[in-house]
Amino acid sequence: MNKYVLGFQQTDRSKLTVVGGKGASLGELSKINGIQVPDGFCVTTAAYKKITENDRELGGLLNDLAQLKASNSREISAISAKLRKLIEETTIPQDIAEEVAGSLAKLGDKLAFAVRSSATAEDLPTASFAGQQDTYLNILGQGAILKHISKCWASLFTERAVVYRIQNGFDHRAVQLSVVVQKMVFPEVAGILFTADPITSNRKILSIDASFGLGEAMVSGLVSADNYRVLDGAIIDKRIPAKKLAIYASKDGGTKAQDIESGQQDRQALTDEQILRLARVGREIEKHFGSPQDIEWCLAEDVFFIVQSRPITTLFPIPEANDRGNHVYLSVGHQQMMTDTIKPFGLSIFLLTAHGTMHPAGGRLFVDVTSRLASPASRKPVMDVLGKSDPLTKDALVTIVAREGFIKPSQADDEAPGRGTGNTGFLAHAQVENDPAIASDLIKRNQLGIEALKHAIQTKSGSELFAFILEDIQRLKKIVFDPRSMGVIMGAMNAALWLNDKMGEWLGEKNAADTLSRSVPNNITSEMGLALLDVADAIRPYPEVLEYLQQRKEDDLLDELAKLKGGSEVRAAICAYLEKYGMRCAGEIDITTTRWSEKPATLVPLILSNIKTFEPGASKQRFETGLQEALSKERELLEQLKQLPDGEQKAAETQQKISIVRNFAGYREYPKYSIVSRYFVYKKALLKEAESLLQDGVIRNKEDVFWLTFEEFRAVVLTRKLDPQVVSRRKDEYKVYEKLIPPRVITSDGEIVTGRYKRDELPADAIVGLAVSSGVVEGRARVILKMEDADIEDGDILVTAFTDPSWTALFVSIKGLVTEVGGLMTHGAVIAREYGLPAVVGVEAATKLIKDGQRIRVNGTDGYVEIV
């Protein structure tokens, strides 16, 4: 029995730690009936360990490497070069060389071989590591093969491989290398087959790239390849570029580039019959592995040989349905302005709270709108609301609806309003009278409910606690989805849209509602931002406290304040702020995220920034300024309208719409505040149960319960048992999901359908988005991905992926806003209008297109950004 060499038939996916990802995959492929795999063997990781594990010099270099970050390019280059040289110059032990020689003799040692690296952290469901280590083709003779085995081992420390491991959090010592030695195939054509379209992610479409000769010319970018796309056994698209160059094997070993005759350059590399045959091979391989695959293939003498198959790691998971029909899903996160990954417990709580048919996928939530799109009557309100709030989503849906046969038509409209659409259906149907007391009554009802919850939950524990929370969630849903609540939100939105439309038509005034909605009552989120200015005012008189906050940012900072002059007063001010707003945080719709009350130090940089940037009394001054601007704009518009034909009537209609905006617009932010307030009450009670589990040794960390669903958590509390592998597996999945960008719209085929803004009269270099808050402003762009990393100075323009209410404290310092996610009524837009900040949202890839520190111009009136 060989210790250092295993043939392909002796390997499979269970041998990953022994033969690496590539070796394990080749072993699996060799076992699929009808799939041709060139024979070969793997030099196992045991051989790599033997030459490296006791080398002190190598160990020291690995220690040095472990201290580096991906940005330390010069140090990485120097240490990597030393490691490669050390490994290549190490003599391969005789017992390893003898096993390699014996395996070569069985295959035919006079043949040519491919020598390929196969790392244990490679071709994984979580990270492909494609191209990180080296491959050598057409290697002749035992001596050359042994030499190239050493070169493959050394390639574990190419700079690209080292940087990739650092970026993906892999320990350099934990990654081992096997080497695949495989009979060389000399193909007429070679290429790559994706069993899911790499552009759209559609799982039903196969995409094939093909070029003459070896696939290296295509992989290295030396030549354009043919591309064929296959759907349901039929070729649906071909792209045949000129192929001027090919790489072929050289007689003396290695490879050489060769020009293709001009008459052959435009020839289709594969025939149609071969394309469809290869597509069938791809589906067989995909079926075996159980997931979409990235497959390397070559064609020799009309036989397809498979030389590699790896999972495609970049596809966003498809929400699961109860049937095999076509479905259309919308991202909840894009509507909620929180597209980050949510932990399993957070997902399950939000699912219990949500209204509509929602499905988790990739650590996010999606709502199934298929049935709402099936008939014109139910489709219209969905499209109307989305057209106003998120044009990119609407445009994507228009594309899908236009596809013949994808959505089965229905004339029935028997669904309850809002079912299947999240909130959009409810919003479309809800109406209320223009009574300012309605919003106040809704807020008072919410506050009384929260106080009652805080009192009642104190006596609950164990199974009774979980039952109580489920009951309270039903109460919460009745409050949040009260038709009056939805009517208030939709009433303000429709009134604002009416004002923008009519003031544009009658007076040539763009986005008039933006000014009219400043400093409205009942906006809990804008009040939160201004209240933090008051906290800053409470600290100003006490230099000792200010110095303490500048130096101390630990979680226990409140405990030490009482010892300082003025500390008790400051502590009282901070605690009062946390009592009202401490349940908030970044990503607050995920109940598992750390709240401000749990980590008050999060607020310290924001408070210090307010002290530095603003004068005392800024809170009242800013609110009063906004109010006067709104009232002034109202008087100005009404006076202009009265000068028009039918002016008195137009002015009366306009005044009524302004009244609706002023009465109701602020309430838009309250339902979410109500939800997260209750979430925090639930969380504190549930963490007491987690503490009990920790003390009993059921869990290793209190936060382990966040990797369970609500029902799983309840079962663990009852049984006092938990499989630790569940937590470990969920953490690994979360790491994968974190790297994925959630789509606005995805179909049951896995296709990500993107929408486009339809505007032609903009500057040629404009970065286009959705205008949500009027005005034009220039300033320094501050590209910030996490609020805790914010380093904002007065007058900066915030550029980020998305904002939620926790970001509001930054809004008092900036003078413009650009986000990748958002719509007319999402958080960033509402608060930008409240504070009078020009804002453009829904700007695809804004944080990549705009560089931190660049001077930009934000046109919040017409919806675009320019780099100036």
Side-chain angles (χ1 to χ4, degrees), residues 398-539:
V398 168
T399 299
I400 294 170
V401 170
R403 293 176 179 171
E404 186 174 349
F406 187 82
I407 297 177
K408 185 178 179 181
S410 169
Q411 298 304 317
D413 243 350
D414 54 358
E415 292 185 88
R419 183 179 297 278
T421 61
N423 295 342
T424 54
F426 241 104
L427 290 174
H429 289 79
Q431 290 183 343
V432 293
E433 60 181 313
N434 181 20
D435 180 358
I438 294 176
S440 299
D441 289 346
L442 288 167
I443 290 171
K444 184 177 181 180
R445 181 185 174 195
N446 268 287
Q447 290 173 332
L448 290 173
I450 293 167
E451 291 306 314
L453 168 65
K454 288 178 180 178
H455 177 74
I457 205 169
Q458 293 177 9
T459 61
K460 309 296 190 256
S461 63
S463 181
E464 186 184 12
L465 171 64
F466 287 85
F468 175 78
I469 289 174
L470 287 176
E471 290 175 8
D472 192 74
I473 285 174
Q474 295 308 310
R475 288 189 284 270
L476 171 60
K477 289 172 73 170
K478 287 179 181 178
I479 294 171
V480 172
F481 297 108
D482 184 329
R484 293 190 307 158
S485 180
M486 294 299 168
V488 166
I489 294 170
M490 200 61 193
M493 181 178 174
N494 284 334
L497 291 168
W498 186 94
L499 286 165
N500 287 339
D501 181 46
K502 293 301 182 183
M503 296 308 99
E505 177 187 342
W506 295 339
L507 301 175
E509 176 95 23
K510 281 188 175 182
N511 302 335
D514 292 355
T515 304
L516 294 167
S517 58
R518 290 180 190 167
S519 296
V520 292
N522 298 322
N523 190 322
I524 190 72
T525 305
S526 65
E527 290 169 6
M528 178 178 71
L530 296 177
L532 203 61
L533 291 173
D534 294 332
V535 174
D537 286 350
I539 296 169

Side-chain angles (χ1 to χ4, degrees), residues 505-697:
E505 177 187 342
W506 295 339
L507 301 175
E509 176 95 23
K510 281 188 175 182
N511 302 335
D514 292 355
T515 304
L516 294 167
S517 58
R518 290 180 190 167
S519 296
V520 292
N522 298 322
N523 190 322
I524 190 72
T525 305
S526 65
E527 290 169 6
M528 178 178 71
L530 296 177
L532 203 61
L533 291 173
D534 294 332
V535 174
D537 286 350
I539 296 169
R540 292 178 199 277
Y542 306 110
E544 193 176 343
V545 172
L546 180 58
E547 182 181 359
Y548 168 78
L549 292 176
Q550 288 169 335
Q551 296 175 358
R552 293 284 302 274
K553 297 181 181 178
E554 293 86 27
D555 294 342
D556 63 346
L557 66 92
L558 292 180
D559 298 334
E560 299 295 318
L561 277 174
K563 302 175 183 179
L564 306 174
K565 184 179 180 181
S568 296
E569 292 84 348
V570 171
R571 189 180 191 280
I574 294 175
C575 288
Y577 184 86
L578 292 174
E579 176 66 25
K580 188 168 185 179
Y581 305 110
M583 76 294 293
R584 313 218 78 156
C585 64
E588 62 189 10
I589 65 171
D590 179 357
I591 193 174
T592 71
T593 51
T594 303
R595 310 284 140 173
W596 290 342
S597 285
E598 295 172 311
K599 191 176 180 180
T602 305
L603 294 171
V604 168
L606 303 176
I607 294 170
L608 294 176
S609 176
N610 286 345
I611 294 171
K612 175 184 174 182
T613 305
F614 297 100
E615 296 295 324
S619 172
K620 293 179 180 177
Q621 185 269 325
R622 288 176 69 90
F623 184 86
E624 186 62 27
T625 298
L627 177 60
Q628 293 307 317
E629 287 174 349
L631 296 176
S632 175
K633 174 60 71 172
E634 178 179 2
R635 289 192 296 270
E636 174 192 327
L637 293 174
L638 295 177
E639 287 172 8
Q640 291 180 36
L641 288 170
K642 290 175 182 178
Q643 309 305 314
L644 301 177
D646 300 321
E648 291 295 335
Q649 181 180 343
K650 288 175 179 175
E653 284 185 90
T654 300
Q655 192 161 31
Q656 192 233 3
K657 299 297 183 184
I658 293 172
S659 175
I660 293 173
V661 168
R662 299 293 305 170
N663 287 337
F664 291 162
Y667 179 77
R668 162 66 180 82
E669 291 290 297
Y670 198 86
K672 191 174 185 181
Y673 173 81
S674 174
I675 291 171
V676 298
S677 295
R678 284 181 121 92
Y679 277 10
F680 192 39
V681 178
Y682 303 158
K683 182 180 182 181
K684 287 189 286 187
L686 289 165
L687 283 177
K688 291 180 182 178
E689 296 297 320
E691 184 67 41
S692 172
L693 294 174
L694 181 65
Q695 291 175 358
D696 290 349

Side-chain angles (χ1 to χ4, degrees), residues 813-829:
S813 299
I814 61 176
K815 63 178 182 180
L817 175 69
V818 180
T819 68
E820 294 179 340
V821 175
L824 187 65
M825 295 303 292
T826 46
H827 163 264

Side-chain angles (χ1 to χ4, degrees), residues 750-766:
E751 180 182 3
I752 295 172
V753 185
T754 56
R756 301 184 187 280
Y757 292 109
K758 294 175 170 53
R759 281 175 283 165
D760 301 321
E761 300 177 0
L762 297 180
D765 58 350

